[in-house]
Amino acid sequence: DFSPNAHPSRPIDEKSLQPEEWRKLVVAKKSESGSSGVVFCLLPEGVVCLKSGSTLAGEIFGSWLAAAIGIATPEMRLAQHKTSEYKEIQAALKRTASMNTRIGISRILQRRNLGVMKFIKGRPLALLEEIPSKAALRQIGEIILLDVIINNFDRLPLIWDNEGNADNIMFAGGAMYALDNRVICPTSLQNRERYLHTVKLLCETMADGEATKVEQWENLAPFWAKRTYMGSLSKEAIGEMIVGFKNASNRAAVELSKKCLCGMVEKLRGLNKDAGSKFWDEQINGIDVDYFASIIDVLRRHLNGDAGQQEGRRESKMRDEEEKAPRQ
């Protein structure tokens, strides 16, 4: 039986993963959890993931937002319809999949575009038995900030009335990775205004008093006790998450300008400009830049302040310098 964690993760960049390598596909297996249609593929050099569906453009956009503010997510790229890689993937899946597996991945076989995603070899938050470190807690706080920006309720239920999903954070290589980062835009103006008010209320209560006593953060405790093996969530742990949340908010205020968001949308369009996919264009048209810019503006005005934005600029400069520094 194919267990993805028993194998290394394969790089997914187009330079190292050539189309013809898909001819060597050993086995493909659909994820047993979630509804996002992830398929694990074992190639000779390791595991990669495939994704498809009506939220693919939104998820790539969400992963780019995360990367812009220093949050770890699986790398993703598009295997375009009619390209040699797309054709090789389709042929490989049909060749290696059993009938039962083929039924499970039928959606993948029908889609005009496929997302090729790096496999994160690690353990989900749901299975961790102890808090790895203060740094990990701060990274969870950063991921929560990302979720506030993209309105992703399928993770930690900070401002959403749901049970949450502890499988969408993965601990690997000493870092917390955010999985399934699709952006969600309410279709009605009333729901958008309601969500913006919710974010504003969170920011104002965090700014006015002791953040660890804010009701929304205290609401994470039942989730932590029920959805993980780590028991109770201490006040100190919540405090570390809040530090990460505020740090990421500072960076977002600096890095995620409306111009930056518009550039990401145009980059998404360019990924598939020669394929003429109406389905892809419809996904992109559902990404409302004004809506996400409004959320970031609420954070900027009601949580960050001038000092926070200065700190965000300092962190962004340090991160840029680290990325430019030669690797040892």
Side-chain angles (χ1 to χ4, degrees):
D1 186 35
F2 170 41
S3 175
N5 261 333
H7 304 272
S9 175
R10 174 77 168 86
I12 65 159
D13 60 285
E14 293 174 309
K15 184 176 180 181
S16 64
L17 180 54
Q18 298 293 317
E20 56 268 19
E21 188 168 344
W22 288 100
R23 299 173 194 168
K24 305 173 186 177
L25 178 66
V26 179
V27 64
K29 177 183 180 181
K30 187 178 183 301
S31 172
E32 296 175 356
S33 62
S35 57
S36 55
V38 177
V39 175
F40 301 106
C41 299
L42 178 59
L43 297 169
E45 294 186 26
V47 178
V48 300
C49 300
L50 296 174
K51 296 197 75 170
S52 70
S54 59
T55 63
L56 184 57
E59 183 162 349
I60 294 176
F61 182 75
S63 70
W64 288 351
L65 287 181
I69 56 176
I71 295 172
T73 66
E75 297 172 47
M76 288 188 71
R77 62 178 178 82
L78 193 67
Q80 299 176 21
H81 181 59
K82 295 184 178 180
T83 62
S84 57
E85 181 176 34
Y86 176 90
K87 294 174 182 177
E88 293 289 358
I89 291 172
Q90 291 279 327
L93 290 175
K94 292 176 181 177
R95 184 181 66 253
T96 60
S98 66
M99 182 56 66
N100 288 338
T101 303
R102 192 174 300 177
I103 293 172
I105 63 175
S106 59
R107 185 181 303 175
I108 286 276
L109 297 172
Q110 295 169 4
R111 297 297 188 189
R112 291 173 61 88
N113 290 310
L114 297 175
V116 183
M117 184 173 71
K118 184 177 181 181
F119 169 62
I120 303 300
K121 183 177 179 179
R123 301 189 71 193
L125 184 67
L127 297 182
L128 295 182
E129 297 178 355
E130 60 181 5
I131 297 172
S133 64
K134 288 185 178 180
L137 286 168
R138 292 189 180 191
Q139 289 165 9
I140 292 173
E142 293 175 348
I143 292 171
I144 295 173
L145 182 278
L146 171 68
D147 288 342
V148 168
I149 292 175
I150 65 177
N151 191 14
N152 176 26
F153 55 82
D154 195 26
R155 200 144 30 214
L156 276 73
L158 181 73
I159 56 174
W160 302 275
D161 185 18
N162 66 321
E163 293 186 347
N165 184 352
D167 287 323
N168 278 342
I169 295 182
M170 188 74 69
F171 182 66
M176 291 290 182
Y177 283 79
L179 310 184
D180 291 343
N181 302 298
R182 70 186 182 100
V183 297
I184 299 175
C185 301
T187 55
S188 74
L189 179 61
Q190 182 181 11
N191 286 339
R192 294 182 184 211
E193 291 299 325
R194 183 182 296 117
Y195 184 74
L196 288 172
H197 177 73
T198 299
V199 175
K200 179 182 176 182
L201 182 63
L202 171 69
C203 293
E204 289 178 342
T205 51
M206 289 178 65
D208 289 343
E210 186 178 348
T212 55
K213 293 183 179 180
V214 171
E215 180 181 359
Q216 292 94 328
W217 287 96
E218 291 180 335
N219 286 342
L220 292 181
F223 162 85
W224 200 264
K226 184 176 180 180
R227 299 292 175 179
T228 79
Y229 289 103
M230 291 181 280
S232 60
L233 185 62
S234 68
K235 182 178 178 180
E236 291 72 23
I238 293 176
E240 293 297 334
M241 289 184 191
I242 290 172
V243 170
F245 184 96
K246 289 183 175 180
N247 288 344
S249 181
N250 291 339
R251 296 196 296 269
V254 174
E255 299 290 346
L256 297 180
S257 65
K258 185 174 179 180
K259 181 179 179 180
C260 173
L261 300 180
C262 289
M264 291 180 184
V265 169
E266 290 309 307
K267 184 179 177 181
L268 272 177
R269 292 190 191 280
L271 291 180
N272 205 40
K273 63 180 179 180
D274 298 326
S277 172
K278 185 178 180 181
F279 182 59
W280 182 253
D281 289 339
E282 289 174 350
Q283 291 185 46
I284 296 174
N285 291 338
I287 300 173
D288 189 335
V289 167
D290 288 333
Y291 172 63
F292 296 114
S294 296
I295 295 171
I296 295 165
D297 189 53
V298 169
L299 292 166
R300 186 181 290 116
R301 288 187 290 112
H302 297 280
L303 182 63
N304 302 116
D306 292 338
Q309 292 184 52
Q310 290 176 8
E311 179 63 18
R313 283 189 284 270
R314 186 186 71 82
E315 286 195 13
S316 296
K317 182 178 180 181
M318 290 177 59
R319 187 157 54 88
D320 289 342
E321 291 175 349
E322 289 175 359
E323 291 175 353
K324 293 176 182 178
R327 297 185 183 276
Q328 301 296 325

